[in-house]
Amino acid sequence: MSRLAKLVAREVLDSRGQPTVEVEASGDDGAFGRAIVPAGASTGRHEAKELRDADARRFGGRGVRRAVAGVGAEIAPAVLGIDLDDQAGLDARLVDLDGTPDKGRLGANAILGVSLAVAHAAAASKGEELYQHLHCLWRDHVGADAAGPTVPLPMINMISGGLHAGANLDFQDFLMVPVGAADFGGALEMASAVYRALGAILRESGAEAALVADEGGYGPKLRADCHAVERILEAVVACGLEPGRDVAIALDIASSRLFDPAAGLYRLSATANDVFDSAGMIDLLEHWTRQFPIASIEDGLAEDDWDGWAALTARLGGRVQLIGDDLFVTRTDRLLLGVERKVANAVLVKVNQVGTLTETFATLALARRSGYRAIVSARSGETEDATIADLAVAVGAGQIKIGSLARSERLAKYNRLLRITEHLGPNPPFAGRSAIEL
Ligand code: PGA
Ligand code: ZN
């Protein structure tokens, strides 16, 4: 049994050049683990809070020196000596030490960095791959009937709008899901072909697709949001693939950003120049699902529009995956509310929304018990850290959302999944079409 002997934290930069927290954990047997914390742009109101310096002289106030200092001054003294395998004990101690409901005192960025770095060190100490260690923890959490490690079906960003691409489009993410792929490598091959074909189509139409957005997707100037889906489907066909059969469409509306709470209305101003109440948004989304082969819609309504969400789920939940991201923020209390109110049928899982590995397992376990799908997700601000690839495999989440097939902070995760696929041996379990189809 190895014990936590050392914690080192530092400020490093993420894929947007913004500061974030890196933590290194060492065991008394020399085992070593490192993790870097991601950051969102379209963050939900109910997420755990990052601690930022608010010192305008550095990084526009977004420095994380206070979070880093807290790891050395407060967290290390409280957790050094803990058994590296005791992830639940570590995470409980971190939560208690912080003492606030949103982790705002020490910062969810500091806390998550420690939580994940220790998991890496524990895996190293046992001589296991991270996904194997996380699978052991997951089995401890949900019981021995947990399914074995499974490579997830990816949903891959093709076109970005909203906060990830200078508000060029109203909706945030237009993704393709390679539902026809037989294995993970095949899914990436399909996605890469479509991504390149889409680039050519956008350039030919003069849509200024030369630059990529925060998650590596194109950030074109289009006259209407529906044109984004139409261009993706053209690219799918150009690759000799069949929309609906080989490739489905997924959307992240990220509609909390569109919602005007004072008026109770959704304002689509980038392309549509239109205003909707919840019922109008539901009609719009239903129309889209009739027009296009859409398998999944994330944050179709705003983070606190529970009544709207219930109506949306009643209308579309039987045939479309409806994911709560800002709605659930990876928290069990909010997901439980969703289950009780029959709201959504899937949860997006972002480790930094909740702030510890154990709380992430709790949300994944609740989703599993409640018949909700789970999609492990990256943030728009990422790094070379690929922990979420191992997490998605370990818990058999079924789906993963990383971004596009561009920018190395995205490819780090896809490539990690390729390595894990190989490590799993011949015929590795791949979630495939059934992970998303209802
Ligand atoms: P974010 O975007 O990381 O900027 O929150 C990702 C998402 O909304 O799913
Ligand atoms: Zn989202």
Side-chain angles (χ1 to χ4, degrees):
M1 181 175 60
S2 174
R3 294 189 175 278
L4 181 61
K6 193 172 162 195
L7 279 178
V8 175
R10 66 177 63 86
E11 183 181 78
V12 296
L13 300 186
D14 70 15
S15 53
R16 283 190 280 245
Q18 298 283 2
T20 189
V21 177
E22 170 172 279
V23 177
E24 292 172 349
S26 307
D28 57 9
D29 60 353
F32 177 81
R34 173 188 290 136
I36 316 179
V37 175
S42 65
T43 47
R45 230 161 53 82
H46 305 284
E47 293 190 23
K49 293 285 172 293
E50 305 171 317
L51 186 59
R52 300 257 177 207
D53 294 343
D55 171 358
R57 290 165 304 180
R58 298 186 68 248
F59 296 107
R62 295 184 61 78
V64 292
R65 282 184 176 168
R66 283 161 65 207
V68 164
V71 174
E74 274 202 62
I75 296 180
V79 300
L80 288 185
I82 199 166
D83 179 355
L84 284 184
D85 249 352
D86 185 12
Q87 186 74 41
L90 168 79
D91 290 340
R93 233 184 254 188
L94 292 171
V95 169
D96 282 352
L97 184 66
D98 176 78
T100 67
D102 62 6
K103 301 188 174 65
R105 196 179 72 79
L106 292 165
N109 42 356
I111 290 170
L112 180 68
V114 173
S115 182
L116 297 182
V118 169
H120 278 270
S125 174
K126 294 195 289 183
E128 287 181 351
E129 292 290 324
L130 180 63
Y131 80 88
Q132 295 173 307
H133 171 59
L134 294 181
H135 184 67
C136 287
L137 296 177
W138 172 242
R139 280 171 61 110
D140 289 347
H141 204 98
V142 299
D145 66 328
T150 304
V151 180
L153 175 71
M155 51 171 73
I156 298 148
N157 180 294
M158 291 286 127
I159 288 180
S160 281
L163 290 178
H164 294 172
N168 54 330
L169 299 169
D170 287 307
F171 297 171
Q172 181 179 281
D173 292 327
F174 301 82
L175 309 100
M176 64 157 274
V177 190
V179 288
D183 55 29
F184 186 73
L188 292 192
E189 258 177 61
M190 246 186 221
S192 174
V194 173
Y195 183 72
R196 277 180 286 113
L198 176 61
I201 288 168
L202 289 171
R203 278 188 294 277
E204 270 164 39
S205 69
E208 291 181 41
L211 299 176
V212 298
D214 280 2
E215 297 195 1
Y218 301 107
K221 294 220 167 19
L222 299 170
R223 273 183 295 109
D225 278 43
C226 62
H227 292 173
V229 178
E230 287 164 4
R231 294 297 95 80
I232 294 170
L233 293 174
E234 277 171 41
V236 168
V237 171
C239 293
L241 299 166
E242 194 181 310
R245 191 194 64 182
D246 300 314
V247 174
I249 297 293
L251 304 171
D252 182 0
I253 311 297
S255 63
S256 300
R257 191 188 63 88
L258 305 173
F259 190 62
D260 170 356
L265 294 170
Y266 293 83
R267 299 188 188 282
L268 279 59
S269 51
T271 64
N273 199 17
D274 223 334
V275 175
F276 299 98
D277 59 10
S278 299
M281 279 295 282
I282 296 168
D283 288 342
L284 178 71
L285 294 173
E286 179 171 35
H287 177 70
W288 275 57
T289 63
R290 304 255 175 238
Q291 214 178 351
F292 303 119
I294 291 173
S296 180
I297 301 175
E298 178 179 332
D299 281 355
L301 292 171
E303 57 204 344
D304 291 311
D305 187 358
W306 289 95
D307 292 339
W309 263 100
L312 172 67
T313 310
R315 186 93 72 87
L316 296 185
R319 59 186 180 85
V320 180
Q321 175 169 272
L322 299 173
I323 311 174
D325 170 13
D326 291 354
L327 177 71
F328 296 140
V329 290
T330 315
R331 278 172 47 169
T332 49
D333 57 345
R334 292 190 63 91
L335 179 56
L336 197 57
L337 220 53
V339 173
E340 284 165 5
R341 296 190 188 186
K342 295 190 167 47
V343 154
N345 53 28
V347 56
L348 203 76
V349 173
K350 293 167 164 169
V351 280
N352 79 324
Q353 278 182 331
V354 66
T356 65
L357 193 51
T358 304
E359 289 165 287
T360 306
F361 282 149
T363 298
L364 283 158
L366 176 61
R368 182 173 177 267
R369 284 199 303 280
S370 313
Y372 275 47
R373 301 281 173 78
I375 301 90
V376 171
S377 173
R379 301 305 305 245
S380 51
E382 276 289 339
T383 67
E384 66 271 31
D385 184 290
T387 307
I388 59 163
D390 290 75
L391 175 67
V393 172
V395 302
Q399 295 173 68
I400 194 165
K401 183 178 101 161
I402 294 169
S404 203
L405 292 184
R407 303 184 57 136
S408 290
E409 79 278 5
R410 312 290 147 190
L411 277 304
K413 282 84 163 163
Y414 289 116
N415 289 341
R416 175 64 188 155
L417 285 164
L418 288 171
R419 278 180 224 118
I420 295 173
T421 299
E422 186 181 295
H423 193 263
L424 282 166
N427 302 318
F430 172 59
R433 176 189 296 274
S434 64
I436 190 167
E437 282 185 353
L438 295 175

